[in-house]
Amino acid sequence: MSYHTFTAALSTCGGIKGEEDIVGRSIWRHRNNVIFSDQQPHVKQLLHSIEFISWAWMRAKPEKFGATYYDWMIQPKQCLAAVKASDRKRQTNLIKR
């Protein structure tokens, strides 16, 4: 998945709260590895890190997020749309009470 596809999916479906934090921390960590651990810059590795951490954050949410990592990599937009629909349903149930 390209960076543009991934960020478009995040922004279209409401994204992940803290997505800027995920991207910023991943870039910072990668930068530190290049500077202090004498590693070579690797854009694909950085993108993979961002994708994995965002999936892990979604899995850690209290709401049910059942997407596998494979699903997240192939169809992030559909995964986020399912979460957004679930959030709307939960909010509707809270209002009915």
Side-chain angles (χ1 to χ4, degrees):
M1 171 183 357
S2 74
Y3 176 76
H4 297 293
T5 303
F6 182 71
T7 54
L10 286 176
S11 63
T12 301
C13 296
I16 300 171
K17 289 185 172 82
E19 66 191 53
E20 298 88 7
D21 192 38
I22 294 171
V23 173
R25 285 177 186 254
S26 295
I27 292 171
W28 189 262
R29 189 178 310 116
H30 188 73
R31 171 206 169 269
N32 284 348
N33 286 337
V34 169
I35 293 172
F36 300 115
S37 298
D38 201 27
Q39 293 181 5
Q40 293 296 316
H42 198 271
V43 176
K44 285 186 180 183
Q45 181 182 2
L46 174 60
L47 178 58
H48 177 71
S49 173
I50 292 168
E51 293 165 343
F52 180 77
I53 292 169
S54 62
W55 173 77
W57 276 29
M58 292 297 290
R59 295 284 296 191
K61 288 178 73 172
E63 298 84 25
K64 180 85 172 129
F65 179 74
T68 65
Y69 184 64
Y70 176 79
D71 291 337
W72 182 244
M73 294 300 299
I74 301 300
Q75 303 174 340
K77 195 172 188 176
Q78 287 82 356
C79 294
L80 288 171
V83 170
K84 194 171 186 180
S86 174
D87 286 346
R88 279 194 305 265
K89 185 177 180 181
R90 187 173 40 87
Q91 288 173 353
T92 302
N93 289 339
L94 289 173
I95 292 171
K96 288 180 182 179
R97 291 182 186 176

